Amino acid sequence: KVKVIEPAGRIYLTFDDGPSEYTSALLDVLAKYNVKATFFVTGYGDDALIKREYDEGHAVGLHTNSHIYSYLYSSVDNYVVDLNAVGERVRRVTGKATKLMRFPGGSSNLISARYDGGGRIMSKLVSLMNEWGYTYFDWNVDSDDAGGASTPDQVYNNVVGALKRGGDSIVLQHDVKSYSVEAVERIIQYGLENNFTFSKLTADSFSAHHGVNN
Ligand code: ZN
């Protein structure tokens, strides 16, 4: 009799704001376990790291060039110029354009309301991105590595404790945070030991959209 093991769920590891000095070590860990992840990159860091992300089979998406909220969210034009700049970087470095993206702060962010003069810019940007064929991704598992978590143990516990069992988990981490990168090997080990599947995001995958609030 064949024992059928049900998958525990699918985990999409995502890393924002890089590349950085920690990205190389992260790529080594991902390669060690043959786990594919998703990077939402900026204008910062080394081109060679974005090339390596792409060449090693990870998804490379766009997270804006400057990541400066006061600039990005003060006008649709600014946002578009900045998005196009990082889009051009990814196209130049990888040889392939991408329409995967993540808004700084997520689609539900209210930070944008400080800068848009009451223009409800997130509503406009979500419509525009959809119209232009971009796919944007939020998350449903927050490592809190940009908030209260500041050690690998905290990041690990936040992620493992919030995984969607029997469903899809898009995990938010930042590869500009050393303690978050340091937690990744244990997160992968936990996932594999508990029969989760790891995948990269695609235009057709689960997307975990937050509600737009501005
Ligand atoms: Zn970010």
Side-chain angles (χ1 to χ4, degrees):
K1 191 170 177 184
V2 177
K3 187 181 176 196
V4 177
I5 301 170
E6 292 297 321
R10 191 172 296 275
I11 299 173
Y12 301 92
L13 297 177
T14 72
F15 301 94
D16 291 7
D17 298 6
S20 86
E21 62 193 297
Y22 311 117
T23 304
S24 182
L26 171 57
L27 286 166
D28 291 346
V29 168
L30 295 170
K32 178 178 174 182
Y33 294 91
N34 193 28
V35 163
K36 302 308 177 194
T38 303
F39 293 86
F40 291 104
V41 301
T42 62
Y44 305 107
D46 291 340
D47 283 350
L49 292 165
I50 293 181
K51 178 81 162 72
R52 190 177 158 201
E53 290 166 358
Y54 181 80
D55 287 348
E56 295 186 5
H58 304 292
V60 178
L62 310 178
H63 193 47
T64 72
N65 198 60
S66 72
H67 206 284
I68 298 170
Y69 290 89
S70 59
Y71 172 72
L72 295 174
Y73 292 141
S74 60
S75 78
V76 170
D77 284 353
N78 286 2
Y79 188 90
V80 167
V81 166
D82 209 81
L83 180 71
N84 285 344
V86 71
E88 175 54 27
R89 182 190 193 193
V90 168
R91 193 205 56 74
R92 174 175 56 77
V93 170
T94 68
K96 192 167 184 293
T98 180
K99 288 202 160 181
L100 308 182
M101 58 156 288
R102 173 174 281 157
F103 294 106
S107 67
S108 61
N109 83 76
L110 284 169
I111 301 168
S112 56
R114 297 181 199 162
Y115 305 114
D116 71 351
R120 303 194 69 80
I121 194 169
M122 294 314 302
S123 303
K124 291 174 183 167
L125 291 176
V126 164
S127 296
L128 192 62
M129 293 300 101
N130 286 331
E131 187 184 317
W132 287 356
Y134 284 88
T135 304
Y136 71 93
F137 297 88
D138 291 311
W139 56 88
N140 60 0
V141 175
D142 190 352
S143 70
D144 205 27
D145 65 350
S150 57
T151 68
D153 277 356
Q154 288 171 335
V155 170
Y156 171 83
N157 286 325
N158 287 344
V159 170
V160 163
L163 290 172
K164 311 296 176 193
R165 284 148 222 284
D168 294 305
S169 299
I170 299 184
V171 178
L172 174 65
Q173 291 187 252
H174 297 81
D175 57 326
V176 292
K177 307 278 188 184
S178 59
Y179 52 85
S180 196
V181 168
E182 286 167 26
V184 171
E185 183 159 17
R186 286 173 63 207
I187 292 169
I188 290 173
Q189 288 171 342
Y190 177 92
L192 295 175
E193 285 165 9
N194 289 278
N195 204 34
F196 285 89
T197 302
F198 288 89
S199 300
K200 62 183 175 183
L201 294 169
T202 70
D204 303 318
S205 62
F206 180 68
S207 57
H209 284 167
H210 298 166
V212 175
N213 296 313
N214 176 41

